[in-house]
Amino acid sequence: MSTGEGTYEGFTAEERAAMKEHAQEGKKAARRASKADKAAEAERDVVAKIAEMQESDRVMAERIHAIVKEHAPELAPKLWYGMPAYALDGKVVCFFQSAEKFKARYATFGFNDTAKLDDGTMWPTAFGLTEVTPEVEKRIAALVKQSVA
């Protein structure tokens, strides 16, 4: 972060906390026994993280979790920097970031570069969310399907 005078103050407390969570997630994943155990425990971790969210974020994250599982079952749930995420071959394709996590005014549903969303020379990779309506559900389902096509 810049102070405006060209000095660097470092990461915010929220960013540092996310990095610590990411390190803990990696250690926990390395300790898991079988691939099936890893997948089941990762799913439980994501569901537990969603359950910890404040109500508005939790409702959206639960819907997104269900949409991803239904429309892109090949994506494996996992925690990523303390956020629910969905990976293909170990690489995160998409993720949900609660508004509360970074004290933002809206939640975010985003895609990493492994998502196959390319559309010309410029396309969106993150979407601000305040509510997951039926119309938004359809859009998320289409994006998730496209991301793994």
Side-chain angles (χ1 to χ4, degrees):
M1 175 195 312
S2 175
T3 62
E5 298 173 2
T7 59
Y8 178 75
E9 291 185 13
F11 296 103
T12 66
E14 294 81 12
E15 291 168 331
R16 285 191 304 277
M19 287 185 284
K20 284 180 183 176
E21 282 183 284
H22 184 63
Q24 290 169 346
E25 292 156 8
K27 290 175 185 174
K28 188 174 184 181
R31 288 191 303 265
R32 293 181 181 141
S34 71
K35 188 173 183 177
D37 289 343
K38 289 179 183 185
E41 192 167 338
E43 170 95 18
R44 285 190 297 272
D45 291 346
V46 167
V47 170
K49 182 59 73 174
I50 291 170
E52 293 172 2
M53 293 178 185
Q54 64 183 5
E55 184 178 0
S56 61
D57 287 338
R58 185 180 68 251
V59 168
M60 289 188 287
E62 288 170 345
R63 286 303 311 134
I64 288 171
H65 184 72
I67 292 165
V68 171
K69 287 184 64 144
E70 179 181 347
H71 296 282
E74 61 270 43
L75 292 177
K78 69 182 282 180
L79 288 179
W80 185 61
Y81 293 98
M83 298 178 285
Y86 304 87
L88 185 62
D89 298 326
K91 295 182 180 181
V92 171
V93 174
C94 58
F95 60 91
F96 177 81
Q97 180 179 302
S98 71
E100 180 183 33
K101 184 159 188 76
F102 293 104
K103 298 180 174 106
R105 69 179 180 90
Y106 52 82
T108 304
F109 184 59
F111 294 87
N112 283 341
D113 63 331
T114 53
K116 298 174 183 165
L117 298 178
D118 304 40
D119 183 17
T121 59
M122 184 176 155
W123 57 90
T125 59
F127 299 85
L129 292 172
T130 57
E131 183 180 6
V132 177
T133 64
E135 181 181 306
V136 170
E137 284 188 22
K138 287 179 187 173
R139 180 106 188 263
I140 291 170
L143 287 166
V144 166
K145 283 181 194 176
Q146 181 183 348
S147 74
V148 295

